[in-house]
Amino acid sequence: MRLLSEYEVVSVSPGVIKSKVNGESLSIRVFLVPLHVFESDGKFSVQVTAVTAVDTDKPRFGEVCSPQKTTGHNGVPRSQSKS
């Protein structure tokens, strides 16, 4: 397997997931960003990272999201949330 150091990203199109949760409309966009391209016997493999963005029709203040928080954060209990 050989790591290719020269490649060109021509375009990136997001995957879009539309969801409704408790009357709130969410639009989740997922972008796959290539990190490395490998070649083996004329076949290519791409290592990617995923970047997500979420839009809502009911924006509100809250804590800032970070990748470190998404893996271990349980959210705000319903009794503390403000409607």
Side-chain angles (χ1 to χ4, degrees), residues 22-78:
N22 294 332
E24 182 174 355
S25 296
L26 299 175
S27 178
I28 303 164
R29 293 172 285 141
V30 180
F31 298 86
L32 297 179
V33 180
L35 297 176
H36 303 286
V37 177
F38 300 94
E39 179 191 14
S40 178
D41 298 326
K43 297 177 184 175
F44 297 95
S45 297
V46 180
Q47 182 181 16
V48 300
T49 188
V51 177
T52 59
V54 179
D55 296 314
T56 176
D57 63 343
K58 297 181 180 178
R60 57 196 169 277
F61 290 107
E63 63 182 65
V64 177
C65 292
S66 71
Q68 293 79 19
K69 289 183 182 177
T70 57
T71 57
H73 186 61
N74 294 324
V76 178
R78 188 169 282 284

